[in-house]
Amino acid sequence: MNDDATRNRNTFDVVVIGGGIAGLAAALSAAESGAETVLLEKQPLLGGSTAMSGGLFAFADTDEQREMGISDSPQRLQQDLIDAGGARNDVRLVQAYASGQADVRQWMKAKGITFDAVKAGAGQSVARSHHTRIRELLDTFRTAFLDTGRGPILSQHRAVRLERAGSRVAVVVAETPEGRAQFDVRGGVVIATGGFSRSQELLETFVPAQAGALPYGGLGNTGDGLKMAWRLGAGFRGMGYVTGTYGSHPETGPEESELLCSFYMGGIIVSVGGQRFVDESLSYKVIGDVCLRQAEGLGFQVFDAQVRAKSVPGVALSDIDFLEDKGRLFIADTVEELAAAAGIDGPELVKTIERYNENVRRGQVDEFGRDSLCNHVGERLQITEPPFYAYPAKTMMTSTMCGLTTTPKAEVLDIDGEVIEGLYAAGEVAGAFHGKTPMTGASLGMGVLFGRTAGREAARRSR
Ligand SMILES: Cc1cc2nc3c(=O)[nH]c(=O)nc-3n(C[C@H](O)[C@H](O)[C@H](O)COP(=O)(O)OP(=O)(O)OC[C@H]3O[C@@H](n4cnc5c(N)ncnc54)[C@H](O)[C@@H]3O)c2cc1C
């Protein structure tokens, strides 16, 4: 239907689609570059998956690391990203991140953002997950954007179509509570619509083997940006590497994350049958894939009082206190009682822990290849100190982290590798950064970095 006559029309230098971390960084940077900018968000509230996230950022060579005696460098970060990605990443994007992350961190800090803990995470050869309170960060970006006076944030505005004028993307059509609206664009459009973890249709299309993972992530993350760019001939990358993330309680809701990685602190993971099934020092994405194939898709994190004492309240992946307060843990004085309470095979669990402890005591790599707490970092612990704990957890489709092909300037490329004029993408909707497996903290980090780049580049086009 041609609805041009009834559309409400507005013109901006830059239109940003999506109000998670990448979209807010893009809008703020476009506005700071002097561009009249509008941010469209389809949900009533901003935040997307970002607001649900653990707030961990992968940064290297930071003051916070130095204070903890951790030696790191951009080169090491770059190599770790490529190793985690199985060298399937677009190296130009990884280089842009490694060389630009210090500057982006300063940009964030200049706005008052602080990092209160540094933890080890998946794919990191040294601890470099920098924690910040993510909702405060989103609020800081939102306020800073509005304070520039360069444009509005329009919620309940769902972008549905991009249109070209000649070869350039020049129009965004959105559905709003008042009907269709048209946004004419002088500079560029930034797609920052996140992933498609909430689209069963796209999961079935690209990664049917993962479609059994529990849907999670921002409620608006249904792949809209991917589809809009697809219609314009955009290239895709990384679709086959989508995997769920292991570590959340089966009843976890969208309001708060229940992701725990006690196995990186010294625990193990066992099936309902009481047996280990994976090297727990691997990425929670790899574990997520293996866990989907276990009975009931369930893996119990089992640990003892030593690990319990390492809990860091308020810090994602390490907050055991929160889960205990929420009543999510089984707790018992003996392994047998723990197994009975949690519904795990008791005699098998006892044997599993004995075998695990024996390997740790001898300092030998076990039958699954585990040699450390996480990614060859950290000494394993024997599970010996009561009380004992079990946390039932499943694989969640938290994020998809694949999609549009982009340049280091965040320009979207078509299927032939040519730039689609006036179209930019940043955050989880972009596909070539992570390769096979993302590093903890790299998704938020690259969301800010490429969001900021996209906003600046789109603004530059309008001059
Ligand atoms: C539980 C959980 C924990 C995580 N922890 C971490 C972590 O600690 N560190 C890390 O690096 N990564 C983490 N991740 C992944 C990370 O949070 C995401 O990859 C990242 O936040 C994505 O940011 P984004 O801006 O691209 O997308 P989002 O934050 O998802 O924002 C996209 C926005 O676009 C909106 N939108 C979608 N379609 C449209 C449309 N058509 N029109 C207008 N708006 C639209 C959505 O409603 C949403 O608000 C975690 C993810 C989850 C779910």
Side-chain angles (χ1 to χ4, degrees):
M1 184 180 79
N2 186 344
D3 55 354
D4 283 358
T6 58
R7 286 180 195 170
N8 178 14
R9 292 183 69 154
N10 290 286
T11 303
F12 287 90
D13 295 325
V14 175
V15 176
V16 177
I17 309 172
I21 196 161
L24 280 165
L28 177 54
S29 120
E32 286 181 345
S33 305
E36 297 298 321
T37 303
V38 62
L39 187 150
L40 309 178
E41 165 57 52
K42 84 190 226 193
Q43 296 291 107
L45 294 176
L46 299 180
S49 288
T50 307
M52 302 163 72
S53 78
L56 298 169
F57 287 74
F59 290 137
D61 194 23
T62 66
D63 291 342
E64 292 82 2
Q65 286 177 308
R66 272 186 289 278
E67 274 166 26
M68 292 175 65
I70 299 165
S71 166
D72 199 3
S73 67
Q75 295 75 19
R76 188 167 184 162
L77 168 64
Q78 181 172 320
Q79 192 55 51
D80 282 358
L81 284 164
I82 290 169
D83 289 346
R88 299 295 201 283
N89 344 48
D90 181 335
V91 175
R92 294 168 313 158
L93 299 181
V94 176
Q95 280 168 344
Y97 182 68
S99 62
Q101 50 95 32
D103 187 45
V104 101
R105 205 173 61 242
Q106 287 316 318
W107 185 65
M108 293 166 75
K109 285 193 164 182
K111 300 182 188 326
I113 288 151
T114 55
F115 299 97
D116 56 15
V118 181
K119 306 290 292 175
Q124 301 175 359
S125 64
V126 294
R128 66 163 74 91
S129 304
H130 292 65
H131 177 259
T132 194
R133 282 177 290 276
I134 195 68
R135 286 171 193 256
E136 287 178 24
L137 181 154
L138 288 171
D139 207 42
T140 302
F141 277 13
R142 186 186 63 85
T143 307
F145 169 67
L146 292 174
D147 284 351
T148 65
R150 298 268 174 206
I153 292 175
L154 303 177
S155 60
Q156 293 183 280
H157 276 58
R158 175 174 174 248
V160 291
R161 199 164 70 235
L162 305 174
E163 295 173 356
R164 285 183 157 119
S167 58
R168 186 175 75 84
V169 176
V171 171
V172 178
V173 179
E175 283 172 355
T176 82
E178 287 77 42
R180 288 220 157 178
Q182 171 165 334
F183 296 86
D184 297 304
V185 190
R186 286 186 285 259
V189 174
V190 180
I191 300 179
T193 48
F196 53 90
S197 57
R198 294 282 182 178
S199 168
Q200 207 60 24
E201 178 205 355
L202 290 179
L203 290 169
E204 289 283 359
T205 302
F206 293 115
V207 276
Q210 298 290 317
L214 300 172
Y216 208 60
L219 292 173
N221 292 19
T222 50
D224 298 1
L226 202 68
K227 287 182 175 172
M228 283 186 279
W230 195 351
R231 282 188 208 107
L232 299 183
F236 286 1
R237 192 151 155 179
M239 312 311 282
Y241 299 138
V242 171
T243 42
T245 300
Y246 168 76
S248 297
H249 192 274
E251 287 162 24
T252 188
E255 62 288 344
E256 53 197 359
S257 169
E258 297 192 26
L259 185 58
L260 177 67
C261 293
S262 64
F263 39 98
Y264 294 160
M265 299 149 81
I268 58 171
I269 307 170
V270 300
S271 63
V272 179
Q275 285 150 347
R276 289 175 64 216
F277 52 84
V278 71
D279 169 0
E280 297 93 341
S281 73
L282 295 175
S283 164
Y284 43 34
K285 291 275 180 189
V286 178
I287 298 172
D289 189 28
V290 184
C291 188
L292 275 181
R293 298 193 290 274
Q294 305 308 305
E296 300 172 42
L298 199 55
F300 290 87
Q301 300 182 29
V302 173
F303 51 93
D304 70 2
Q306 300 171 87
V307 172
R308 176 69 185 81
K310 292 190 192 181
S311 170
V312 189
V315 174
L317 317 188
S318 312
D319 192 350
I320 304 175
D321 290 76
F322 164 68
L323 293 167
E324 184 170 338
D325 291 348
K326 204 164 181 183
R328 297 301 204 196
L329 304 183
F330 296 99
I331 308 171
D333 287 331
T334 65
V335 171
E336 290 85 347
E337 284 166 4
L338 182 74
I344 306 171
D345 184 312
E348 279 301 321
L349 182 61
V350 170
K351 275 193 263 168
T352 295
I353 290 179
E354 281 171 2
R355 195 160 52 243
Y356 180 77
N357 286 347
E358 180 63 9
N359 277 316
V360 175
R361 200 177 57 73
R362 288 171 184 263
Q364 64 194 21
V365 177
D366 67 31
E367 65 272 35
F368 295 98
R370 188 172 193 182
D371 63 356
S372 61
L373 292 183
C374 176
N375 196 35
H376 311 297
V377 181
E379 294 285 323
R380 291 167 294 171
L381 299 171
Q382 294 187 57
I383 300 169
T384 51
E385 301 287 324
F388 299 96
Y389 298 81
Y391 175 57
K394 285 195 166 182
T395 301
M396 298 238 161
M397 188 50 69
T398 55
S399 30
T400 44
M401 301 193 185
C402 65
L404 306 176
T405 46
T406 50
T407 69
K409 286 184 179 173
E411 301 152 303
V412 176
L413 297 170
D414 70 14
I415 48 171
D416 297 317
E418 299 293 331
V419 168
I420 300 180
E421 216 185 315
L423 190 61
Y424 301 83
E428 205 177 303
V429 71
F433 179 79
H434 296 290
K436 274 186 172 173
T437 313
M439 173 190 289
T440 299
S443 194
L444 290 176
M446 70 93 162
V448 186
L449 187 136
F450 290 112
R452 185 184 180 210
T453 303
R456 196 173 50 215
E457 290 298 316
R460 202 173 50 78
R461 279 188 57 88
S462 63
R463 287 197 289 273

